[in-house]
Amino acid sequence: MEFDLIEAIRARSATRREDVLLGIGDDAALLRPPPGHALAVAVDTLLEGVHFPLGTAPADIGWKALAVNLSDLAAMGATPAWALLSLSLPRADRRFVEGFLDGFMALAEPHRLALVGGDTTRGTLAVSVTVHGFVHEEQALRRSGAKPGDAIFVTGTLGDAAAGLACLDRQRDDADRLLTSAVDSRKALIERLNRPSPRVAAGQWLREVASACIDVSDGLLADLGHLCKASGVGASLDVDALPLSSALLTLFADNARDFALTGGDDYELCFTAAPEHAARIVADLARQGCGAARIGRIVAEEGVALHDADGRRVTASASGWDHFRT
Amino acid sequence: MEFDLIEAIRARSATRREDVLLGIGDDAALLRPPPGHALAVAVDTLLEGVHFPLGTAPADIGWKALAVNLSDLAAMGATPAWALLSLSLPRADRRFVEGFLDGFMALAEPHRLALVGGDTTRGTLAVSVTVHGFVHEEQALRRSGAKPGDAIFVTGTLGDAAAGLACLDRQRDDADRLLTSAVDSRKALIERLNRPSPRVAAGQWLREVASACIDVSDGLLADLGHLCKASGVGASLDVDALPLSSALLTLFADNARDFALTGGDDYELCFTAAPEHAARIVADLARQGCGAARIGRIVAEEGVALHDADGRRVTASASGWDHFRT
């Protein structure tokens, strides 16, 4: 063994929490959940070439592996607490592990998330993270609470990560011919792909006001579809209200809307609330920094229907991203 | 998509527990930990060709993926409660998933373990399971409590799983030439490899009496070494006291002891206790069915030293199994 992977990880798991009785180094972690809270638990696995492109920097992989999981906690309105990491690597590669932990910890620390356990094994590059957070049972944001008449919102901007992936797929020659503004846009989109910002603070704020919530990992149409199905309702979406970044509009003016509707990996929150809360939601989330746009309303009829600002029906070109799409 | 993997898994996650507020189907599971207990959490990932041989039956993979994790809870003295499953498959293969769940649930149900969440993705076959259990904080079995003078014990028998793997590695021709008794032994050893029995009840019983505990996943020498290191002590092992199965002795009379010392994947518990408890431990665990053998004692000097029944020093040929051994 070139070096002790688990020791390297333990040495970096610096976040101290009083509720961690026993962290990395025994058969299991021992944790003390706070009384009166529910425990929110999620796991997501990232595979090279599926969830991040070949050649992604180790620090970006570490960041993203945690971000996609924190996004699940955000969608429940939960406060992050603990994570376990299962890391599969072709070889015990110190440089990779240190870089990975740089990215992982850069996101863990501001959230006071402690890395409390995990395992390492030799195999194709794969990262599986399990996260735990706390939320009062009656305040947890579920997918199933949307009601006809509720307004639909989404945080941040949509489609950027998928556009970032499209930028990476293009030939390098293309990039060289770009104007400076386009170079900056390209960089911004790839940053959104590699370093998504889980909307943890927004999710916690939404506990007071949202009727249902989901994070946008597979694309807005797919994920809003999941929310509607869980709630037994449908949605009417105004495609002209979709929040689009200037970077996306700069590089993909013709198909920005398609990216926003069906692109995966944005990790924004899509949520519903009674329409009387709309002004407060938009104002408060703008103040928080991520922003929120009102993009439609919940209807009784099942399915997600699209219209433009003039009320004309619109058809989407695909319905999101699916790891097992054939 | 050939069929909805997550729906298939949800349909099979039948164990109902009142402390599961929200299971498979939202962004995270919502769970209610019992007041006054610590939460024991462990994750283990199994990869094809590393943790189980190519061609292992799906039901055996499902059983083993849960068993290795329940073994971690057993080693803490914890009572199992919830699991999350992250499943990576080359394609959405219904037959594989149904078989996998047959094995997983066959072990989950007697332990009243609920499958509460997870994810599925397309990639090389890999299974990552996160398990949660409960244990009173002051009763949890740690690796770090062994003291010089403590007796060392191990449950069940050692070396069977590694011998089972050796049986699989041999040519099929060999098997055809075996006597009936040898065929039965071969079957028993392979069963131990594919369907390990996590010592959950023994671990809970040991909360009252053990000073330290670890499960034997990498081999006795390696894992006892971990326990000693965590406790700041050493061990003196009597190799003639190692519990060996008749199947192991039938097929591997010449190197049974090496299998017992260094073979991985047994998932027995190795633990220490004050010597005055020895008779009670051996008697009570025999009554429980798994049995326990006293195999040595903890000493102040670091390292694991071996001797035979006559007190002569013995040298082992290897020091256990390591996923990153180079």
Side-chain angles (χ1 to χ4, degrees):
Chain A
M1 182 154 56
E2 292 171 51
F3 78 113
D4 190 327
L5 267 180
I6 292 171
E7 263 312 312
I9 294 169
R10 172 150 67 169
R12 293 288 297 274
S13 60
T15 303
R16 301 277 169 254
R17 294 177 58 104
E18 287 198 352
D19 55 14
V20 178
L21 307 172
L22 192 59
I24 295 172
D26 213 300
D27 291 286
L30 278 180
L31 308 166
R32 193 193 288 132
H37 288 71
L39 192 68
V41 190
V43 61
D44 268 306
T45 297
L46 270 64
L47 305 178
E48 186 173 51
V50 181
H51 302 92
F52 53 87
L54 291 167
T56 300
D60 289 338
I61 298 170
W63 175 288
K64 189 164 183 173
L66 181 56
V68 305
N69 279 283
L70 288 182
S71 181
D72 283 324
L73 292 185
M76 303 302 289
T79 304
W82 314 307
L84 291 91
L85 166 65
S86 181
L87 191 57
S88 167
L89 293 175
R91 60 194 178 88
D93 175 343
R94 175 188 285 269
R95 183 183 281 185
F96 180 92
V97 172
E98 295 292 351
F100 178 92
L101 291 171
D102 287 344
F104 189 96
M105 292 302 169
L107 185 59
E109 279 160 18
H111 290 288
R112 294 201 58 247
L113 181 109
L115 180 59
V116 299
D119 77 331
T120 59
T121 194
R122 176 174 288 192
T124 52
L125 180 54
V127 188
S128 186
V129 174
T130 307
V131 286
H132 298 77
F134 312 138
V135 60
H136 283 292
E137 184 176 331
E138 69 282 3
Q139 290 191 324
L141 301 175
R142 303 176 183 220
R143 296 180 177 179
S144 55
K147 286 172 287 291
D150 280 355
I152 304 170
F153 303 83
V154 69
T155 59
T157 57
L158 292 175
D160 297 331
L165 185 61
C167 288
L168 290 178
D169 287 345
R170 288 184 175 187
Q171 294 299 320
R172 193 172 290 269
D173 295 350
D174 269 11
D176 293 343
R177 284 197 303 268
L178 291 175
L179 301 172
T180 309
S181 67
V183 170
D184 289 346
S185 295
R186 185 177 186 278
K187 200 173 151 189
L189 295 176
I190 293 170
E191 178 82 4
R192 286 270 292 169
L193 174 70
N194 287 335
R195 297 259 174 162
S197 298
R199 301 304 188 188
V200 173
Q204 291 174 41
W205 185 85
L206 287 171
R207 293 189 296 222
E208 307 274 313
V209 64
S211 53
C213 187
I214 192 170
D215 74 326
V216 181
S217 53
D218 294 340
L220 178 66
L221 284 184
D223 290 313
L224 178 57
H226 296 318
L227 183 151
C228 287
K229 195 175 171 195
S231 296
V233 297
S236 173
L237 267 195
D238 176 359
V239 297
D240 286 322
L242 296 172
L244 307 175
S245 71
S246 58
L248 180 66
L249 290 167
T250 299
L251 287 183
F252 297 92
D254 294 342
N255 48 353
R257 183 192 281 174
D258 287 334
F259 278 117
L261 286 171
T262 64
D265 264 2
D266 283 322
Y267 303 103
E268 299 293 350
L269 297 181
C270 176
F271 59 96
T272 59
E276 57 265 31
H277 298 310
R280 186 176 140 226
I281 287 169
V282 171
D284 278 32
L285 289 182
R287 210 170 297 133
Q288 280 200 23
C290 69
R294 182 175 178 172
I295 58 172
R297 63 190 172 84
I298 295 295
V299 298
E301 194 190 352
E302 290 187 6
V304 178
L306 308 180
H307 61 85
D308 65 14
D310 298 323
R312 284 180 299 228
R313 291 200 73 127
V314 173
T315 309
S317 45
S319 66
W321 194 62
D322 179 337
H323 298 312
F324 281 98
R325 192 164 53 193
T326 50
Chain B
M1 184 154 57
E2 291 170 53
F3 77 115
D4 190 326
L5 267 181
I6 291 171
E7 264 311 313
I9 294 170
R10 173 151 64 169
R12 293 287 297 273
S13 60
T15 303
R16 302 275 169 255
R17 293 176 59 102
E18 287 199 351
D19 55 13
V20 178
L21 307 171
L22 192 60
I24 296 172
D26 213 301
D27 291 286
L30 279 180
L31 308 166
R32 194 193 288 131
H37 288 71
L39 190 69
V41 189
V43 61
D44 267 306
T45 297
L46 270 62
L47 305 178
E48 186 173 50
V50 180
H51 302 92
F52 52 89
L54 291 167
T56 301
D60 289 337
I61 299 170
W63 174 288
K64 189 164 183 172
L66 181 56
V68 305
N69 279 283
L70 288 182
S71 181
D72 284 324
L73 293 185
M76 303 302 289
T79 304
W82 314 307
L84 291 91
L85 165 66
S86 180
L87 191 57
S88 167
L89 293 175
R91 59 193 180 87
D93 176 344
R94 176 189 284 269
R95 183 183 281 185
F96 180 91
V97 172
E98 295 292 352
F100 178 91
L101 291 171
D102 287 343
F104 190 96
M105 293 302 170
L107 185 58
E109 280 161 17
H111 290 289
R112 294 202 58 247
L113 181 108
L115 180 59
V116 299
D119 77 333
T120 58
T121 194
R122 175 174 288 193
T124 53
L125 179 55
V127 188
S128 186
V129 174
T130 307
V131 286
H132 299 75
F134 312 138
V135 59
H136 283 291
E137 185 177 330
E138 69 281 4
Q139 289 191 325
L141 301 175
R142 304 176 182 220
R143 296 180 178 179
S144 56
K147 285 171 288 291
D150 281 354
I152 304 170
F153 303 84
V154 69
T155 59
T157 56
L158 292 174
D160 296 329
L165 185 61
C167 288
L168 290 178
D169 287 346
R170 288 184 175 186
Q171 294 300 319
R172 193 172 289 269
D173 295 350
D174 270 10
D176 292 343
R177 284 199 301 269
L178 291 175
L179 301 173
T180 309
S181 66
V183 170
D184 289 346
S185 296
R186 186 177 185 278
K187 201 173 152 191
L189 295 176
I190 293 170
E191 179 81 3
R192 286 270 293 169
L193 174 70
N194 287 335
R195 297 259 174 162
S197 298
R199 300 305 187 186
V200 174
Q204 291 174 41
W205 185 86
L206 287 171
R207 293 189 296 221
E208 308 273 315
V209 65
S211 53
C213 188
I214 191 170
D215 74 325
V216 181
S217 53
D218 294 340
L220 177 66
L221 284 184
D223 290 314
L224 178 57
H226 295 319
L227 184 151
C228 287
K229 196 175 170 195
S231 297
V233 297
S236 174
L237 268 195
D238 176 358
V239 297
D240 286 323
L242 296 172
L244 308 175
S245 71
S246 59
L248 181 66
L249 290 167
T250 298
L251 287 183
F252 297 92
D254 294 341
N255 48 354
R257 184 191 281 174
D258 287 334
F259 277 118
L261 285 171
T262 65
D265 264 3
D266 283 322
Y267 302 103
E268 299 293 350
L269 297 181
C270 176
F271 59 95
T272 59
E276 58 265 31
H277 298 309
R280 188 175 137 225
I281 288 169
V282 171
D284 278 32
L285 291 181
R287 209 170 299 134
Q288 280 200 22
C290 69
R294 182 174 178 172
I295 59 171
R297 63 191 171 85
I298 295 296
V299 297
E301 194 191 353
E302 290 184 7
V304 178
L306 307 180
H307 62 85
D308 65 14
D310 298 322
R312 284 180 299 230
R313 292 201 72 127
V314 172
T315 310
S317 46
S319 66
W321 195 59
D322 178 339
H323 298 313
F324 282 98
R325 193 164 52 192
T326 52

